[in-house]
Amino acid sequence: MIPSPLPGQPQLHYRGPSLYLEDCRLSDLAAQHGTPLYVYSQAAMLAALEAYRRGFAGREVQICYAMKANSSLAVLQLFARQGCGFDIVSGGELERVRAAGGDMAKVIFSGVGKTRAEMRQALEAGIGCFNVESEAELEVLNEVALSMGLRAPVSIRVNPNVDARTHPYISTGLKGNKFGIAHERTLAVYQRAAGLPGLRVAGIDCHIGSQITQEAPYLDAMDRMLDLVEAIEAAGIPIGHLDFGGGLGINYDGEVPPAADALWARLLARLDARGHGGRRLMIEPGRSLVGNAGVCLTEVLYLKPGEQKNFCIVDAAMNDLPRPAMYQAFHAIVPLERPDARREPVVYDVVGPVCESGDWLGRDRPLAIAPGEHLAVLSAGAYCASMGSTYNSRPRPAELLVDGSQAHLIRSRERVAQLFENEHLLQGDRA
Ligand SMILES: *Cc1c(COP(=O)(O)O)cnc(C)c1O
């Protein structure tokens, strides 16, 4: 009934009957802070970062945390203090980097729909590079930079047309995806970029998808990108850095993705074999740095037996944990206190209070649980809080970052009044 070992980090474990994250008993945190509640392990995040660093030992690499995975300020601050840069996808994320004390020179700006205002904001901030995703964007960025008397550092995001073999909604490197510039167009686009006075060619990049659990798509994408680098440089345009994006998967349900250090040992061997070992490198990991570092705690409100299904209704919902509703994603769900062995497990669909049939967190889960008891939704450190909404006027949960036996409140539970503070009643007294 309880998966053993628990998917994810060694920082999450049972001691006796109680589930702990590092040295914090999660039942205590739920009692103290209420639910739903996100709890993240600092040690797990640092260990995930360390795995990448081991893989890159002795190389010149900039790790740019893809902050959309979890953009809480304290999480950004933790990575900034470790020397990480950030991969951002909006002007809002740029302001978060600033608020967290990140280094603007280590920021790269991705995304297919950057506005002129966002370009100006990023140029003023002095970010490290724009990852340009279309020819039209290249022209606009050139105009904006010229109007400010600046040259924008650019890298073209190449769509290498490789299948990341992941869920279609999180696959980004195929021809049919909206991301990047087609492999066939890349040389022509670099020639155009090199001729525009408001731009400076800084590098090349790709990002082929997310929750990738195999090595082959990375090797394929690297080969495709190196072919392009060789062609572009043969045409007289030097390419500075090579950015291989993010996308490395995590263990949600027994998946065994390559470890970051092993993956990079293989990729660097390929890079060396092709004579590009001395290049400046960048990566943009998101999920693999934070996903397994977090859990979402929730209280069981009601058990509702049915003819076809039994429902376990909890106080967290699709607005807090959107991945099951969005991608039919699996999160392991375990009790905060192991039940008495005499209690018989029942198979439940674990669902939230939101008025949508898509509001489910887990299907067909055997649980020996009673109302008032608590569950932990595992692997909830990435694309959960950051993707959450306030649908059904549900305030956002509080977030804690634990470090050993200390739990730091890094986000207070949102107050209902905050949900409508920007709203305006109609003026006047006409009906
Ligand atoms: C989302 C994203 C990433 C991070 O992806 P993960 O799967 O979380 O590692 C990296 N680069 C770009 C451009 C992205 O959009």
Side-chain angles (χ1 to χ4, degrees), residues 29-30 32-38 296-297 315 320 394-400 409-416 418:
L29 298 181
Q32 197 183 337
H33 297 274
T35 52
L37 178 70
Y38 284 104
C296 181
L297 310 186
D315 69 355
D320 309 303
R394 292 169 51 85
R396 285 172 224 273
E399 293 173 57
L400 305 176
L409 179 66
I410 62 167
R411 184 187 183 113
S412 301
R413 187 172 302 282
E414 198 166 25
R415 285 172 289 104
V416 170
Q418 290 178 290

Side-chain angles (χ1 to χ4, degrees), residues 66 68-69 87 110 157 207 209-211 246-248 284-287 383:
K68 71 180 188 289
D87 176 47
S110 301
R157 175 165 175 186
H207 170 69
S210 202
Q211 187 51 20
L248 182 58
E284 308 165 355
R287 185 191 314 269
Y383 303 108

Side-chain angles (χ1 to χ4, degrees), residues 69-84:
N70 183 327
S71 53
S72 297
L73 292 186
V75 172
L76 305 184
Q77 184 186 24
L78 183 70
F79 286 121
R81 285 178 176 171
Q82 293 293 316
C84 289

